[in-house]
Amino acid sequence: MSEEKKKQLSHPFYAEDTETVLNQLQSTEEGLSSSEAQKRIEEYGTNELDEGEKKSMAARFFEQFKDMMIIVLIFAAIISAVVSHEVVDSIIILAVVIINAVMGVLQESKAEQAIEALREMSTPNANVLRDNHVKSIKSTELVPGDVVMLEAGDVVPADLRLLEAASLKIEEAALTGESVPVEKEMVVIDQQDVGIGDRINMAFSNSNVTYGRGRGVVVSTGMNTEVGKIADMLAQADETETPLKNNLNQLGKFLTIAIIVIAAIMFVVGIAINGTSWDEMFLTSISLAVAAIPEGLPAIVTIILALGTQVMAKRNSVIRKLPAVETLGSTDIIASDKTGTLTLNQMTVEKLYVNNQQIGAKEEMPKDLMAIKVMNFANDTKFSQEGNLIGDPTETALVQFGLDRGFDVREETKKEKRVAELPFDSDRKLMSTIHEQANGKYLVAVKGAPDVLLTRATGVLINDKVIPMTEKEKNDILTNNTDLAQQALRVLGMAYKMVDQIPTEMESEIIENDLIFAGLVGMIDPERAEAAEAVRVAKSAGVRPIMITGDHKDTAEAIAVRLGIVEKGNDAAVLTGAELNEMSDEEFAQKVTNYSVYARVSPEHKVRIVKAWQTEGKVVAMTGDGVNDAPALKQADIGIGMGITGTEVSKGASDMVLADDNFATIVVAVEEGRKVFSNIQKSVQYLLAANLGEVLTLFLATLFGWDTLLPIHLLWINLVTDTFPAIALGMEPAEKDLMLHKPRGRNSNLFSGGVFSSIIYQGILEGATVLFVYWSAIQWPVHNTYDAIHSDALTMAFATLGLMQLFHAFNVKSVHQSIFKVGPFRNKTFNWAILLSFVLMMVIIVVPGLNDIFRVAHLDLYQWGTVLGASFAIIPIVEIVKFFQRKTMN
């Protein structure tokens, strides 16, 4: 499509009258001819969304190998196989790499569904005026200039400028986030920059007609519709790097440099100082490199994340992308949609104003109040066969309120049959129904806007008595109306009158005059009962909840105050989409921390808000259920879709889906995410301390000219004592004070929080202990021959390193807390893992035949005592260090 045509279709048609709009589109109220429509479909293209570019399965697979850690592992596998002939080691490493790549591809395949879901949302047919006749055509064949007919139940097939609206209401929640259907009006909006939710003379593609009928001219199709713009934003949005992925990349780079430097130094020292041959020294250096690489780490991280997804699924959080589990734990900001997440997405009566007083909806009240009768009679709600309420959310709320108080409108209208009606009209803002009474008279029930209703009322019903409508009475009603509105309640007035006969002419001036005011009703989409507590827990955990909604400012602020997101009267913390439009990205980035509530926002605004917080260095979780939320969900560090009310588009763009659409579940997921990251840190600490111990043992032994550990020993220790305990550490229960700490933030890494210093001193401790045991075995031997002495020393060093790592696994249950406070045996999986690793270590030493393969010897009780004593020593030593660390931290 040409740039000129794109510009034409983005024209603000809502700001012009219908005649001008039709002229701009070179159309008429009778629509287009078939021949003209055919020309335009060639010019503008079909009314459907672009699929976007898709990566092939092979491309996705090979992309998984860009990770630094993966490159290091592949290099180590090749060297092990070619140079040192450790084929088993190579197979294990390559298997880990391939499994990780396959899992990555499977996760990505699930994530590329957002735009496909958008394409499938379009309605299959549209009723359009062609050649002066109404025809049903495929919606993909619509072109700008077509005139489309709309009625209740239709899905709007393209973006339309309305030419006619008869009591037309359109539900646009998927685009705007506003829970109440929008009443469409034939007005010209005298502004150039108006949000989607305020364009009341427009109908947007993929929104739903809930009431009335209308007619509109197509102004935008395909990718130029508001839904199309969202699809384009989705296609162009960059996937944000998760903190975990960044951390693993950093770890990979760090290990690569460290391994190359240490292996090179060791190679040079071995040849220059000890006179070892270059080929033997090269093999030793490769052994050190293999020892230094935690080849099981990617698999262990994947397993820990997968276990986290299972736990979270049981707690109503369905994870679509594995790294999202950990990302939740680093969340600084939870940007939540209001409707359905913080609230119930269900209009509910909250207050009544009758008999000169406000009454809470839960308070006792008689069911025969005239206000209750009027709100149920002047109502078009229908009942399904299952007894569910069908209709406008405002009207169904009124009927439900009646049912809860024993007023069943189905039974009551059998006694007082509806015989006539005057439907709701957006111009007069009233609806009336007429009901036949047992005494032959007729009840006129009127519901509508309070200010309009008061101009039609001459009396007020107070305590079953009708008194004249004086200025005082009118002012009292208006004062209470304002009070209810300031509480962000949607307020309707009820009135009635008795007539002797059905009017011959159903005119508003006749039917809706000389009324008796019966009361006001205030409704709201109420906050979830558990949401306020979840907000409090989030705040105590250092996580800032903010609300982003398409709803009006007053409604958003009132709910935010009730939930504790903002303080009452703090208007400065609330920003509207119109106000955001006045700010540049730079200005907004400087002020973003001032705002906790964003009202009346568009999809572009949501993306700007997320980006602004990310510019601040914050990790942002964004919730949403509508099409309008999808770009922001994709932009956020973790997008959270709604499982019940969410569109397939929003779910497809999300990293996580809430099965219960509940904000409280997000806070639970944050806790689980923190636990997962803490457990990954524990596994990293355990593995790297062990590997550092091995590296130091080999490096210093080479300097001393000792022959301590063989490659087969390192392989067995890495396979047995590293893997099982490291995985089991990933299943540790959460520490009690986990949600009392501030989020670790975007700049933290796997070494933060004292982990790096712990790895260093614990690795040094392990290496020094192994070398001490080897030295002591040489100094105080049990046997006399050199070969036997060396074999004993080698075996003792091997056993000490393996067993010490198993004892050290208990230390790693907490970075700073004592194992006795954490609970050494709380994790049953960990207990079994330690036992299994211990048995496997012992088997190759004590079982004849196996000890020959591993070139180790049988030890006597004295030697075993030395090994066990030295191995266990790491627990009290680390406990002492932790004790002093806690003292300095306090």
Side-chain angles (χ1 to χ4, degrees), residues 60-137:
R60 288 181 185 175
F61 181 77
F62 286 112
E63 274 191 358
Q64 307 299 316
F65 296 94
K66 292 180 180 178
D67 185 89
M68 178 64 75
M69 179 72 81
I70 299 299
I71 293 170
V72 172
L73 289 175
I74 292 173
F75 178 76
I78 295 170
I79 295 296
S80 294
V82 174
V83 179
S84 57
H85 305 294
E86 296 291 347
V87 179
V88 175
D89 202 357
S90 300
I91 292 171
I92 291 170
I93 294 172
L94 289 176
V96 167
V97 169
I98 292 169
I99 289 168
N100 277 327
V102 170
M103 292 190 74
V105 169
L106 290 174
Q107 290 295 329
E108 281 189 23
S109 298
K110 293 177 184 177
E112 293 298 323
Q113 298 169 354
I115 294 175
E116 274 184 40
L118 272 170
R119 294 181 78 245
E120 292 169 3
M121 280 179 63
S122 55
T123 181
N125 291 297
N127 295 319
V128 61
L129 270 171
R130 290 265 178 94
D131 304 314
N132 291 323
H133 295 291
V134 177
K135 296 181 178 180
S136 180
I137 66 170

Side-chain angles (χ1 to χ4, degrees), residues 143-255:
V143 293
D146 265 327
V147 174
V148 176
M149 318 301 290
L150 298 174
E151 59 183 33
D154 285 351
V155 177
V156 180
D159 284 3
L160 312 176
R161 170 63 162 91
L162 295 173
L163 304 174
E164 178 187 346
S167 302
L168 183 64
K169 293 185 182 181
I170 300 180
E171 191 266 305
E172 298 174 346
L175 279 169
T176 65
E178 187 172 359
S179 55
V180 179
V182 179
E183 297 172 10
K184 297 299 180 180
E185 297 181 32
M186 292 305 302
V187 295
V188 176
I189 300 172
D190 191 21
Q191 295 177 42
Q192 288 297 310
D193 189 12
V194 179
I196 295 173
D198 295 316
R199 297 178 196 174
I200 56 175
N201 58 9
M202 300 283 292
F204 298 104
S205 179
N206 298 124
S207 55
N208 300 293
V209 181
T210 62
Y211 194 86
R213 58 183 177 78
R215 186 164 53 94
V217 60
V218 176
V219 296
S220 300
T221 59
M223 294 298 289
N224 285 284
T225 61
E226 293 299 329
V227 156
K229 292 173 186 175
I230 291 171
D232 188 49
M233 291 167 68
L234 275 174
Q236 295 182 24
D238 295 327
E239 289 284 348
T240 52
E241 288 284 327
T242 67
L244 179 62
K245 193 170 182 181
N246 286 332
N247 287 337
L248 289 175
N249 284 340
Q250 290 171 9
L251 179 59
K253 291 173 184 176
F254 171 79
L255 287 177

Side-chain angles (χ1 to χ4, degrees), residues 117 121 174 624-628 630 641-642 644-653:
M121 280 179 63
D625 58 358
V627 178
N628 62 321
M642 301 295 113
I644 299 172
T645 60
T647 60
E648 289 305 311
V649 182
S650 62
K651 292 176 192 175

Side-chain angles (χ1 to χ4, degrees), residues 561-577:
V561 168
R562 288 160 66 152
L563 290 171
I565 294 174
V566 296
E567 298 288 330
K568 189 172 183 179
N570 187 13
D571 295 343
V574 184
L575 188 73
T576 65

